[in-house]
Amino acid sequence: METIIKYSRQDWSLCECGDLEEPLSTFLYDLPNLTVCNVFPPLHILNILLLKGWVGGSMSPNFIWKPFEISEQEYQEILPKLLDPNWAVLCKKLWRIRLPMKLDPEFDGINDRYTWIESVSEKYAVKSLE
């Protein structure tokens, strides 16, 4: 059974904010700044963000949760739900439209989250401009 995450979505805009409880896969799709060019991070990069306990701001809502990390087994179990989600259910829960996530193992050896973000961005930014 998928872990339920309790979190708070706070914003000044018109999104549905407040305290939420959602399955881990829905929570991850809801978070801003999780993916780069829709590339889902490897487990060790994901856990850096999850252990932070917050993300967002600026043009995105603030998200706050009790810091946690997931195991390799949980990561493998949620991947199918992230790579091929149930859009009919998911779209009713998100604060903005998302594109499907994908994996790119080329960057799995990078240990720093900001280096991972920069490297993925460099690879896919050129393709997005073509």
Side-chain angles (χ1 to χ4, degrees), residues 92-111:
K92 294 176 184 175
K93 297 180 179 235
L94 303 180
W95 64 277
R96 61 29 184 133
I97 297 170
R98 290 288 304 252
L99 294 173
M101 294 184 193
K102 60 189 172 195
L103 297 176
D104 189 337
E106 177 181 338
F107 305 102
D108 288 0
I110 298 172
N111 290 319

Side-chain angles (χ1 to χ4, degrees), residues 33-46:
N33 307 322
L34 172 66
T35 62
V36 176
C37 301
N38 301 315
V39 175
F40 186 69
L43 176 61
H44 61 284
I45 299 294
L46 173 62

Side-chain angles (χ1 to χ4, degrees), residues 26 29 102 117:
T26 301
Y29 253 101
K102 60 189 172 195
I117 289 169

Side-chain angles (χ1 to χ4, degrees), residues 64-77:
I64 301 168
W65 62 90
K66 182 179 176 184
F68 68 97
E69 60 185 337
I70 65 171
S71 68
E72 177 69 33
Q73 180 179 345
E74 280 182 292
Y75 183 83
Q76 294 302 323
E77 287 172 1

Side-chain angles (χ1 to χ4, degrees), residues 52-68:
K52 190 175 172 182
W54 68 272
V55 70
S58 186
M59 305 235 357
S60 301
N62 290 316
F63 287 76
I64 301 168
W65 62 90
K66 182 179 176 184
F68 68 97

